[in-house]
Amino acid sequence: MTPHVLIAEDDEDISRLLEAKLRSAGFEVTLFEDGEACWTYLERLDSVDDAPPDLLILDVMMPKLDGFRILGRINESETLRDLPVLMLTARSRETDVVRGLELGATDYVAKPFSVSELAARADKLIGRP
């Protein structure tokens, strides 16, 4: 089965670059340009019997709903709390990294970043060799 990755990123260039890299690495990809659209999708999964995605790549600074608030909501959800979340953000201060990890992020990558490294981290987070 093809692993499914959600990407919540408001920078279209970054989201398209990630989409291309992850698709070429064998992932199914769904893109969201703001936090509210991402949460609406996840919330719907929480209320039906659809399988959650295998990974969420989440920006912090997004319109409508930021990544930290989404993380908090994920951790309050019995269905979603085990979803691996890789934070991908320009907010790289130690306090931001610690906050993300304390809120439940599985990994944290600061921008600028290597697309190949991010794809390798995605593989590791979903348990793919």
Side-chain angles (χ1 to χ4, degrees):
M1 190 158 126
T2 304
H4 184 200
V5 177
L6 305 183
I7 299 172
E9 169 62 63
D10 63 328
D11 184 315
E12 186 176 348
D13 292 335
I14 291 174
S15 63
R16 295 295 176 191
L17 178 66
L18 288 172
E19 178 184 31
K21 178 63 176 180
L22 293 173
R23 284 191 190 281
S24 72
F27 291 92
E28 176 185 341
V29 178
T30 303
L31 300 176
F32 301 97
E33 62 186 31
D34 65 65
E36 188 174 84
C38 178
W39 179 248
T40 298
Y41 179 90
L42 289 169
E43 190 174 40
R44 184 188 62 79
L45 290 177
D46 198 22
S47 64
V48 296
D49 290 333
D50 290 347
D54 297 289
L55 175 66
L56 170 60
I57 297 175
L58 183 61
D59 189 11
V60 171
M61 297 179 293
M62 290 184 294
K64 301 182 183 178
L65 186 63
D66 73 46
F68 288 140
R69 289 181 52 207
I70 292 172
L71 266 179
R73 290 178 181 187
I74 287 170
N75 287 322
E76 292 172 0
S77 163
E78 287 186 37
T79 307
L80 300 172
R81 74 171 49 130
D82 293 329
L83 172 65
V85 178
L86 188 154
M87 300 299 291
L88 177 64
T89 180
R91 296 188 62 169
S92 59
R93 294 182 321 201
E94 181 180 357
T95 55
D96 294 320
V97 174
V98 169
R99 181 176 179 202
L101 295 171
E102 286 178 345
L103 285 170
T106 314
D107 200 355
Y108 201 102
V109 174
K111 295 175 185 174
F113 64 98
S114 158
V115 179
S116 295
E117 177 186 339
L118 190 126
R121 287 175 184 259
D123 278 332
K124 182 168 177 57
L125 289 173
I126 65 163
R128 240 175 36 164

